[in-house]
Amino acid sequence: MTVMEEAATLLEREHVHSVYERIAPHFNDSRYKAWPKVRQFLLEQEPGSIIADVGCGNGKYLHINGSVFKLGCDVCRPLVDAAWSQGHEVQLCDGLRLPYRDSCFDAVLSIAVIHHLSTKERRIRAIKEMARILCVGGRIMIYVWAMEQTRRKFEKQDIFVPWNPKPSSPTLGKECPPPRRRGTAQSVSECIYSGNTEKHRKVKSTSSMLEEEEMVCSPQQTQRLWFFSRSLDSVFDFGSLTISRSTSRELIGTFSPLGQVEGVKVGRRGRGVDFIKQVSSIFSGLSRNSSEEDVFASTTDLARGQREVGVSSIDNHNTSSEEKTSVCTSFVQDCGSVALPDLISSYQRDRTEVTEKSGVRDDGLPGDLQNRYKSSLNPRESKGEPAAGSCMRYYHVFREGELAELIESHVEELQIVYSCFDHANWCVVAEKVQVWKI
Amino acid sequence: MCICILYLNVLSRISGSQATEVKVSEVEFNPNFVSRMIPKLEWSALVQAADGLGHLQDLPTELIADYEANEDFLRKVHRVLLEVEVLEGCLQCPESGREFPITRGVPNMLLNEEEA
């Protein structure tokens, strides 16, 4: 495994797989409704078709269309178990290594899955794997988070999103799960969904930029802190030697032996692991005191701040100039000592961890930072739910046309049938075609 | 895990000794569905798996002609295909012999990093 592959695997394990494992018990089925286009895609399949839902989660699409055979799979054990208890046929497996034979599925779903893969190469591999198991003429539907949201746009494409538990509802915990019923008929869950249609419609309108399971009732109740990062692709771009100036110093310091050998070999095995552990420790150490203040709003300031290597322009009314200097110094020192993605985030006025005179914490925040101090909100503490700060999910949000371009340029066995923007996602439907090698 | 899955998986071996817990549930019979699934299956492999799990019963060892109209036959297929489940057991790769456990009805096909 190359260093990059190892780093990617570790990143995804820390900020996708283990997060889903922790938050799985808190997914409440009644919040979920199948998106119309996905439902339509499933209903259009011929009776007797075999369909794979790769990255099925807790199986929210597996109950649709009783006349086709659906097989769900996911890496997350608790979610897969939840899907099984609903009567669905599911497996635990890796989307990059599907345990299925070639060309045996009539259709494949990939709904909000591949945006969790941290490199372009892995995203392509996932699509190719799904194309492999599709029979010629079969279709795949892919949904990924869009960079361009309805009212705003993500500043960058590689982000870490904290998980916000839904404010507790009176019905939570009082519903007994229906007994497991296997079979091709629609399950009991469908009834639950239709009963909540009204509620979902209302909530949806205020949360166009949120993923379904993060619907919240009002902005005041949210704690949201979006962290932007550079993609692993850009950090590890040794091949074309276009390492950006802002990280070249650090990279050369830690990876210099690599620069002298061909390719990125496992010879420096430990590096990728340390690298990712540093990244992870940053996110797990974050405070939950964050405001709803949207980082999107301050895009121009952030962009400017980003280009100043190691120098943070701290917009802070409270701290003295000494404090400011010491914080800056610490940041610069950290910058120089380790290669890490640049981080841009917004902070609370009351974040004592950052403003302490002693400087930043050990697992502190190198890279370019611009601190903005806002009034704080008390974090909502729901019993038993994991801290939002410790559940940061990695996403690579897609630019318009990016998903289509990936398929067109790298997956010749798939031909795009249509693409569209739906519910803050880019959607592509493609058909498997016979490729003739001359 | 229902027997259907075997044909979709690259692994195709499961036997009675490997399935420690098999359950038969009642599943709504849909003749259209079953008759459309049949052409996608490898009949001999289905028979072998059913036999291995001790649930062959009166399933014909050869696929009969005109099965679409034969409700009796379709019901037998339906039972084996959808009603017999392996709750605990394992799937074995016929080439490497590597075993993949089935736990609480779910096969775990994840490879360790060394195997990747």
Side-chain angles (χ1 to χ4, degrees):
Chain A
M1 218 191 259
T2 63
V3 175
M4 172 121 146
E5 181 76 358
E6 200 174 327
T9 309
L10 287 167
L11 177 77
E12 288 158 23
R13 193 178 304 148
E14 180 84 25
H15 293 290
V16 180
H17 306 162
S18 65
V19 174
Y20 277 109
E21 264 166 44
R22 272 177 283 164
I23 68 183
H26 304 285
F27 275 12
N28 184 346
D29 263 350
S30 65
R31 291 196 284 175
Y32 304 136
K33 196 171 181 297
W35 290 350
K37 282 201 165 65
V38 182
R39 171 186 295 277
Q40 191 53 39
F41 180 81
L42 286 168
L43 291 172
E44 280 167 357
Q45 301 305 315
E46 293 261 333
S49 296
I50 307 183
I51 307 191
D53 184 348
V54 180
C56 64
N58 60 3
K60 76 194 222 194
Y61 292 108
L62 296 175
H63 69 281
I64 299 168
N65 192 348
S67 67
V68 297
F69 183 79
K70 292 138 291 183
L71 180 55
C73 64
D74 204 289
V75 286
C76 178
R77 161 70 78 178
L79 289 176
V80 163
D81 282 346
W84 187 84
S85 67
Q86 293 292 310
H88 303 306
E89 199 57 48
V90 282
Q91 299 192 318
L92 264 172
C93 72
D94 181 346
L96 296 176
R97 274 178 282 274
L98 294 171
Y100 305 129
R101 299 190 296 198
D102 296 355
S103 311
C104 50
F105 286 90
D106 301 294
V108 174
L109 283 181
S110 172
I111 309 300
V113 181
I114 66 173
H115 55 203
H116 283 308
L117 292 168
S118 56
T119 69
K120 178 177 173 183
E121 191 251 339
R122 286 165 77 84
R123 296 187 282 268
I124 292 169
R125 270 165 56 195
I127 298 173
K128 284 183 92 79
E129 258 297 87
M130 292 187 284
R132 176 183 71 76
I133 67 172
L134 254 183
C135 58
V136 171
R139 289 188 174 186
I140 175 170
M141 173 176 262
I142 306 177
Y143 263 66
V144 290
W145 250 20
M147 190 180 183
E148 304 88 344
Q149 301 282 320
T150 313
R151 284 192 293 270
R152 43 207 134 184
K153 186 178 164 168
F154 283 107
E155 170 71 2
K156 286 187 147 184
Q157 288 190 267
D158 295 277
I159 66 174
F160 290 83
V161 177
W163 179 70
N164 290 316
K166 178 193 168 196
S168 51
S169 95
T171 58
L172 254 180
K174 290 186 186 155
E175 292 173 30
C176 301
R180 180 172 186 267
R181 252 183 62 199
R182 294 196 67 218
T184 56
Q186 287 186 340
S187 73
V188 179
S189 341
E190 175 77 331
C191 306
I192 298 172
Y193 299 155
S194 50
N196 278 325
T197 316
E198 282 309 312
K199 200 197 296 174
H200 284 289
R201 230 178 273 138
K202 261 186 227 142
V203 180
K204 250 198 206 163
S205 63
T206 62
S207 60
S208 55
M209 61 180 265
L210 300 173
E211 204 172 33
E212 280 255 332
E213 53 264 38
E214 290 176 310
M215 281 188 270
V216 290
C217 300
S218 70
Q220 286 75 35
Q221 288 169 320
T222 347
Q223 312 158 54
R224 185 158 299 280
L225 195 61
W226 306 87
F227 288 89
F228 301 122
S229 173
R230 291 179 54 185
S231 71
L232 279 183
D233 289 309
S234 65
V235 174
F236 281 90
D237 201 358
F238 292 107
S240 55
L241 290 178
T242 54
I243 300 164
S244 75
R245 242 175 278 129
S246 69
T247 52
S248 56
R249 271 185 292 120
E250 298 90 57
L251 284 172
I252 288 167
T254 55
F255 288 94
S256 51
L258 272 175
Q260 290 147 22
V261 303
E262 271 170 12
V264 181
K265 296 293 180 191
V266 179
R268 289 317 265 189
R269 188 170 193 91
R271 296 296 180 183
V273 178
D274 292 338
F275 172 96
I276 285 307
K277 280 188 171 142
Q278 289 279 353
V279 174
S280 307
S281 66
I282 288 165
F283 299 114
S284 54
L286 290 165
S287 159
R288 269 168 289 145
N289 286 340
S290 55
S291 77
E292 171 60 7
E293 178 64 23
D294 204 336
V295 185
F296 296 114
S298 54
T299 51
T300 46
D301 291 339
L302 291 171
R304 237 182 288 127
Q306 181 198 348
R307 280 190 278 279
E308 299 162 13
V309 179
V311 178
S312 321
S313 68
I314 300 173
D315 176 19
N316 179 357
H317 305 297
N318 283 351
T319 57
S320 67
S321 51
E322 290 91 39
E323 272 183 13
K324 219 195 261 191
T325 318
S326 69
V327 170
C328 267
T329 317
S330 309
F331 289 154
V332 171
Q333 280 167 358
D334 282 335
C335 248
S337 66
V338 76
L340 284 160
D342 297 325
L343 296 171
I344 299 169
S345 56
S346 71
Y347 279 92
Q348 286 302 309
R349 172 177 286 126
D350 294 343
R351 283 186 48 109
T352 51
E353 293 96 336
V354 178
T355 59
E356 266 165 8
K357 278 200 170 154
S358 53
V360 294
R361 293 142 43 123
D362 289 343
D363 57 344
L365 304 136
D368 308 330
L369 281 177
Q370 175 158 42
N371 295 306
R372 301 187 62 109
Y373 295 87
K374 316 283 171 198
S375 55
S376 62
L377 287 173
N378 288 323
R380 288 182 64 83
E381 296 248 8
S382 308
K383 266 210 183 126
E385 283 171 340
S390 64
C391 290
M392 305 285 283
R393 274 182 293 175
Y394 169 83
Y395 286 86
H396 170 90
V397 295
F398 281 67
R399 228 187 294 249
E400 179 172 6
E402 183 183 338
L403 178 59
E405 195 267 336
L406 270 189
I407 296 171
E408 277 157 12
S409 309
H410 301 278
V411 189
E412 57 179 351
E413 58 271 37
L414 285 181
Q415 199 165 71
I416 295 178
V417 175
Y418 72 80
S419 57
C420 64
F421 183 85
D422 181 32
H423 285 92
N425 285 263
W426 288 113
C427 161
V428 165
V429 170
E431 188 170 301
K432 172 100 175 256
V433 294
Q434 189 76 52
V435 177
W436 300 103
K437 306 264 186 217
I438 299 164
Chain B
M1 185 213 77
C2 79
I3 302 186
C4 259
I5 305 314
L6 293 175
Y7 312 101
L8 305 175
N9 279 324
V10 291
L11 316 177
S12 57
R13 190 182 297 165
I14 188 165
S15 70
S17 57
Q18 291 163 318
T20 53
E21 195 179 331
V22 177
K23 180 177 152 196
V24 183
S25 339
E26 211 177 283
V27 175
E28 197 179 314
F29 174 59
N30 184 333
N32 273 335
F33 176 79
V34 177
S35 60
R36 282 172 188 267
M37 281 290 281
I38 289 171
K40 302 191 189 222
L41 307 171
E42 211 186 287
W43 192 257
S44 55
L46 175 69
V47 170
Q48 202 173 51
D51 194 31
L53 292 174
H55 281 272
L56 185 61
Q57 293 182 7
D58 48 1
L59 187 74
T61 48
E62 297 277 329
L63 187 59
I64 67 168
D66 298 325
Y67 56 76
E68 294 97 330
N70 190 328
E71 187 184 308
D72 195 51
F73 173 75
L74 291 178
R75 281 189 180 274
K76 289 176 189 170
V77 180
H78 166 82
R79 180 187 50 82
V80 162
L81 223 47
L82 299 171
E83 294 188 333
V84 176
E85 295 185 77
V86 179
L87 294 182
E88 303 287 331
C90 66
L91 289 171
Q92 189 176 39
C93 174
E95 283 176 15
S96 68
R98 209 274 203 198
E99 289 185 349
F100 293 85
I102 301 170
T103 323
R104 297 190 293 276
V106 175
N108 184 347
M109 319 292 279
L110 289 167
L111 294 169
N112 298 326
E113 263 162 36
E114 305 84 58
E115 296 169 301

